[in-house]
Amino acid sequence: MADQHFMLGFTARFVRANGVRLHAWTAGEGPALVLLHGYPQSGIMWRKVAPQLARRFSVVVPDLRGYGDSDKPRDGYDKKTMARDIHELMTALGHGRYAVVGHDRGARVSHRLALDQPEAVTKLCVLDIVPTHTVFRDTGRELAAAYWHWFFFQVPDLPEVMIQASSEPFLRFMFRALSSEAGAIEEAAFQEYLRVFRLPGTIRAGLEDYRAAATRDFADDEADLAGRVRCPVLAIWGKAGKMDALFDVLATWRQKADDVRGHSLPCGHFIPEEAPELLLRDLEDFLV
């Protein structure tokens, strides 16, 4: 399990939810708030913002199904199932209503969570994504080049073999390519990401997460095109990342929700690690 110093003041625990054992960090008092990480990371990606948020909120920081120290089953990587994991986790911890902040893959889980549990999700913040259905619907030459890994990951078996054989170079490349702030992911944090990335099942699970996006998730999103997120939405993205050049990010979310605000921050993809102070300011304004 991750060293306690990554999440100062938090308690690590395992909770069974939706048939899987999820690892989660918990701290704080007040309205409930769940923070969901992205690929290829774990809950410690919130280490620079979670302690501050725990001064005002009951903060829950899980490792998603297939990631970190959580279980890595063979299936269940569609976002409906992963969202159900988080809802049952929050229910098990005594939180019937909660706000959600998600980054990357965790933001896709968060979007589905807000659609499927409208009575539970009070506010939704999505970091550095546009909706999954929008990505596949609008894929062209520039987007395909920028999102190369989405399509490489669809190939069965081969990505598992290649990434497993070069896990550290792969992980270092992903962090370097997608961030703009040198040193934002310090070496100790990188080594923790590498530890959980090398746990049996993690590489396969992450790939299945992306494969589900192109199949089950797209179909689920297509079926729900008429549905809208009811709660307020905050969309934040990195000015130096791929979103800013490829999309009108706010417009994509206004197709999905009625109450949408947001802006870019001067950083790359890994916003909670590259621009934690700016993100905290935005979150504290939005979540109160």
Side-chain angles (χ1 to χ4, degrees):
M1 202 156 61
D3 193 304
Q4 184 71 40
H5 81 271
F6 286 113
M7 298 290 286
L8 289 174
F10 279 70
T11 299
R13 63 180 69 194
F14 288 96
V15 179
R16 183 156 290 277
N18 200 23
V20 294
R21 192 180 71 147
L22 298 178
H23 173 258
W25 302 92
T26 60
E29 296 181 355
L33 170 64
V34 60
L35 308 177
L36 302 181
H37 67 85
Y39 181 91
Q41 298 181 285
S42 68
I44 71 152
M45 75 164 297
W46 301 102
R47 66 195 177 280
K48 298 180 183 181
V49 300
Q52 178 80 6
L53 292 170
R55 296 176 183 178
R56 303 177 69 176
F57 301 95
S58 295
V59 179
V60 180
V61 186
D63 292 337
L64 294 167
R65 168 192 297 246
Y67 292 85
D69 287 302
S70 290
D71 281 355
K72 298 158 179 59
R74 292 294 305 177
D75 52 19
Y77 297 99
D78 62 282
K79 301 312 161 291
K80 272 186 170 290
T81 299
M82 294 177 80
R84 170 60 66 175
D85 293 347
I86 301 306
H87 181 65
E88 291 195 11
L89 167 70
M90 295 301 283
T91 301
L93 294 174
H95 304 305
R97 286 171 58 80
Y98 47 86
V100 187
V101 181
H103 174 259
D104 188 76
R105 311 309 296 175
R108 302 187 188 285
V109 175
S110 301
H111 181 203
R112 175 47 64 178
L113 189 56
L115 285 172
D116 290 356
Q117 304 293 339
E119 304 306 319
V121 177
T122 59
K123 293 187 178 180
L124 168 65
C125 175
V126 289
L127 299 182
D128 214 54
I129 73 160
V130 298
T132 302
H133 187 273
T134 305
V135 173
F136 285 110
R137 183 196 66 193
D138 295 350
T139 294
R141 177 175 57 84
E142 291 183 355
L143 190 146
Y147 279 60
W148 63 270
H149 58 294
W150 280 50
F151 304 102
F152 171 56
F153 290 174
Q154 302 305 316
V155 180
D157 301 329
L158 181 62
E160 282 91 334
V161 173
M162 296 181 71
I163 296 170
Q164 188 74 50
S166 55
S167 55
E168 182 171 349
F170 173 82
L171 213 55
R172 288 193 185 277
F173 172 84
M174 294 297 282
F175 288 137
R176 184 174 63 251
L178 295 174
S179 61
S180 67
E181 302 301 309
I185 299 174
E186 63 275 19
E187 183 62 21
F190 174 82
Q191 291 298 326
E192 169 59 15
Y193 289 139
L194 183 61
R195 177 188 74 82
V196 293
F197 196 66
R198 285 174 165 170
L199 291 176
T202 301
I203 291 173
R204 170 190 48 77
L207 296 170
E208 292 297 340
D209 180 354
Y210 279 87
R211 289 164 183 158
T215 54
R216 174 74 178 275
D217 295 341
F218 185 84
D220 288 340
D221 290 350
E222 184 93 0
D224 288 340
L225 283 178
R228 296 181 70 78
V229 174
R230 297 183 196 171
C231 67
V233 175
L234 175 66
I236 295 176
W237 63 98
K239 184 69 176 175
K242 301 179 189 304
M243 297 293 102
D244 193 73
L246 292 169
F247 295 98
D248 179 338
V249 178
L250 290 183
T252 69
W253 285 105
R254 285 173 178 150
Q255 294 173 0
K256 306 297 182 184
D258 296 323
D259 181 355
V260 178
R261 70 203 78 171
H263 53 258
S264 65
L265 291 178
C267 62
H269 177 59
F270 300 104
I271 297 169
E273 293 163 298
E274 296 186 63
E277 295 86 4
L278 294 175
L279 177 61
L280 271 170
R281 183 188 66 193
D282 287 334
L283 290 179
E284 289 174 342
D285 287 345
F286 175 66
L287 293 171
V288 291

